[in-house]
Amino acid sequence: MIGKVIKYNLKNINTDLIIPARYLINSDEQFLAAHCMEDLDRDFVEKVKKENFQILVTDSNFGCGSSREQAPSAIKASGIACIIAPSFARIFFRNAINIGLPIIEFPEIERIRTGDILNIQFEEGIIKNTSNDEEFQIKKQSDFLQQIISAGGLINFARKQIK
Amino acid sequence: MGLTITEKILRDHCQNKKAVAGDFIMPKVDKCLANDITAPIAIEVFENVIEGSGVGVFDPSKIILIPDHFTPNKDVASAIQCKILRDFSSKYNIINYFEVGRGGIEHCLVPEQGLVKPGEVFIGADSHTCTYGALGAFSIGVGSTDLGVAMALGKCWLKIPESIKFVYSGRLNKWVSGKDLILYTIGKIGVDGATYKAMEFAGDAIKVLPMADRFTMCNMAIEAGGKCGIIEPDEITKSYLDSFKNLNDGFYCSDKDAEYSDIIDFECANIEPQIALPHSPDNVKSISEVHNMKIELDQVVIGSCTNGRLVDLKNVAEILNNHKINKKLRCIIIPGTQNIYLKAMKSGYIESFINAGAIVSTPTCGPCLGGHMGVLAEGEKALSTTNRNFQGRMGHITSEIYLSSPIVAAASAIKGYITSPEYL
Ligand code: SF4
């Protein structure tokens, strides 16, 4: 995928910041997306739309806190198609894999800035920063997780097992 | 090389009899749990997975649904969410659906109802499902899609975690409880100190720690990023389970030569009551330091899946005895389940709370996640016995949450600022 970066230099962005509990009374994705990250950055949703940001980059332990799948769902529905961080909280990690939102564990986030255009080649494990021609190696997901990702998420993976 | 309790339980639940930490497996799950926030999505996923296959849920007796977050229904939207659980339960004969008035906060209710057993693999679409590690089960929080798929397949993917062993030695100081041990631990290792790892709690202080405190400690493993908390079952576990039929086996323990990614020792003599300051559970200080800061409070919340058990209420009642709640604040006390509520009433605790000027709420998560029953206004400060003090979690984004044990919360409700019974 090729996409433009929006970056927050913050550690431990928790699920209450990603989607506050007050909105969990409704599971509609578009409703959730409209409030995505609003307690962290009021203008997040508008910026993502206007600037066509597709890649969210943050510091470590992204998505800590609650198990709410509404967190990755809201991010995905807001238009973000990939998240890059040095590490993810574990339930957020599995939720993202399960709903088919690609996430990349990459430690050197200081090499990426807001506005950069990244070309991410998941199969090869390479990110090319087309803004300055830098190239980074990324860790590929394990074969097991790759099966879920290739199926397009856990639902499709499970449907195959049931038939 | 030996195995940890976690590796042993998981190995016995999957086909790979050589599986060790780091391996991906698809174990059988013994129980699946969800609440009014996570079940609606899980149910949609489930129906999507089974669509056209003619199969139903993998085992209706192994699914537990507990509406507890925005209940009794806070508004129309939450009423609709709860109705989805109710309808699903009647469609698939889910006997362990707990209607308002017959249930309570999920992680207080599940052990109380005898729905979790040592040695089980228990998954819940709620991050604090890690609570049941206190009984020696492998118990983890997952997402709604995981849960929806597990309701169909009876399985869940996971990576066997490495374990960190925490060894607590010596005797607890006066006014110190399991809550203080876990806050102290999170303060030392940080909110990502145990990411992807199992936190195994051990040592002579744990061997004598009552079950309620063990639940509190395992409940907050997620606050250090842990996949689960776990304690080897022992005599205390056994006597807790004695009142249930068929729960008193499945006791696993770690081998002496089990491999840990880290072993961390704590001396209990060094641990005072602990407070987590805004806005992170690892921003922890000792009470002697916080007492001197004279942090004035607008609200005290006592309850939640962390500290809403009977002994918590008993401790609070003893401290409130003949005292009044400070005029400047409101104190909200929430028994964890209907049973706890009733026992607290019979023991006279509820009467002493009301006499002191506290409000007693029906069991609900309520203010813990800023849902209802005690949401904070702009700039207000609350001391809470819950488990998370993220910015804005209990209400307005500029409000502040401090975390403590019920003992400290009760003393602070009397004084009006954060303090301990020592200073009463
Ligand atoms: S009491 Fe709080 S932490 Fe516990 S399940 Fe309810 S919302 Fe979650």
Side-chain angles (χ1 to χ4, degrees), chain B residues 254-373:
Chain B
S254 296
D255 291 327
K256 290 228 158 39
D257 59 345
E259 194 169 344
Y260 292 95
S261 69
D262 206 351
I263 298 179
I264 301 175
D265 293 300
F266 294 123
E267 180 49 63
C268 294
N270 301 332
I271 305 178
E272 292 180 46
Q274 302 287 306
I275 310 289
L277 280 72
H279 294 288
S280 181
D282 63 359
N283 187 14
V284 171
K285 291 191 190 324
S286 294
I287 190 68
S288 50
E289 192 179 343
V290 180
H291 168 81
N292 289 333
M293 296 162 74
K294 292 276 178 301
I295 300 167
E296 296 203 4
L297 300 167
D298 301 289
Q299 178 164 302
V300 169
V301 175
I302 296 167
S304 85
C305 61
T306 318
N307 279 121
R309 298 187 177 79
L310 191 64
V311 60
D312 295 319
L313 302 184
K314 177 172 183 272
N315 291 338
V316 171
E318 281 169 9
I319 289 166
L320 288 184
N321 186 29
N322 291 327
H323 287 283
K324 291 279 179 211
I325 302 295
N326 191 281
K327 277 203 202 83
K328 284 181 288 186
L329 63 81
R330 57 238 180 225
C331 178
I332 301 166
I333 303 181
I334 311 178
T337 66
Q338 289 289 90
N339 271 320
I340 296 170
Y341 199 170
L342 192 59
K343 284 185 184 150
M345 191 134 58
K346 287 185 176 154
S347 309
Y349 308 153
I350 303 290
E351 199 176 330
S352 52
F353 298 156
I354 294 175
N355 283 337
I359 186 169
V360 183
S361 154
T362 191
T364 178
C365 294
C368 174
L369 78 164
H372 58 153
M373 297 301 298

Side-chain angles (χ1 to χ4, degrees), chain A residues 36-65:
Chain A
C36 187
M37 303 281 235
E38 72 175 27
D39 285 350
L40 179 75
D41 176 359
R42 281 235 150 257
D43 306 322
F44 175 82
V45 179
E46 211 188 295
K47 279 189 209 160
V48 168
K49 282 221 172 64
K50 216 166 123 202
E51 301 271 339
N52 198 19
F53 290 124
Q54 282 180 302
I55 300 168
L56 172 65
V57 179
T58 80
D59 210 336
S60 58
N61 201 27
F62 183 79
C64 60

